[in-house]
Amino acid sequence: MSDESRAAFFDGTAEHYDDDTFHAAVAEALVEPLPDAPGLVLDVATGTGFAAYAALRLKPARVLAVDLSPAMVARAEAKAPAQDPDGRIEWCVGPAVPMPVEDHSADVVLCASSLHFLGAAAFADWLRVLKPGGRLAFSVVSGTRFKPSGPFAEFVPKDITFPTDEAGAAALAQGFVDVTARTFTVEGSDRVRSVFLVHATAP
């Protein structure tokens, strides 16, 4: 499937994406344990910017947030006057894999609620962009709960097996060290939602 088709699909979901507060909760939980004052933070497949804005609490020198969908990035950037008055976040429309940065230039890579659209190629790129000792934080859906169907299923790569437990989630971070995984659950009024949060370090 072409990047244009993917972009058009996500453009169509951008208007109401922020209505789902679960994505914001996941982003906040991913950022919470990360060290303060990183240099460059990369937000991979930023969507409407939840993880990029959450990363500002770390007081980074710079955040680069990339997404294929122009409509998603536009909605993210529209929040900047209120949420990023210092202008630390740079917004970029384009493929998030590979990220448009030099090798071993990033201190942190974030990927919230997006790995199931990126596939296995993301991990090699994250190893490429992270400095030795740089931190990776990503969420991943449960293979038990995640059952894509219809047109949505066409956007899910076939080269990644979604984990059913924390050990399986941690095992996705091949090539990384000090890998931890935990289940993150939010109980809503109508349903219980959960993902795995994985944190790891580049060797």
Side-chain angles (χ1 to χ4, degrees), residues 97-114:
V97 177
M99 285 293 280
V101 297
E102 295 181 358
D103 296 359
H104 309 305
S105 60
D107 297 278
V108 173
V109 166
L110 297 172
C111 183
S113 305
S114 300

Side-chain angles (χ1 to χ4, degrees), residues 16 42 58 74 105 155 158 173 198:
H16 298 290
L42 304 181
L58 304 175
S105 60
F155 295 91
K158 309 298 189 216
V198 182

Side-chain angles (χ1 to χ4, degrees), residues 113-133:
S113 305
S114 300
L115 178 61
H116 54 288
F117 297 122
L118 301 177
F123 292 98
D125 194 54
W126 298 343
L127 282 169
R128 176 187 69 82
V129 300
L130 280 167
K131 297 175 180 177

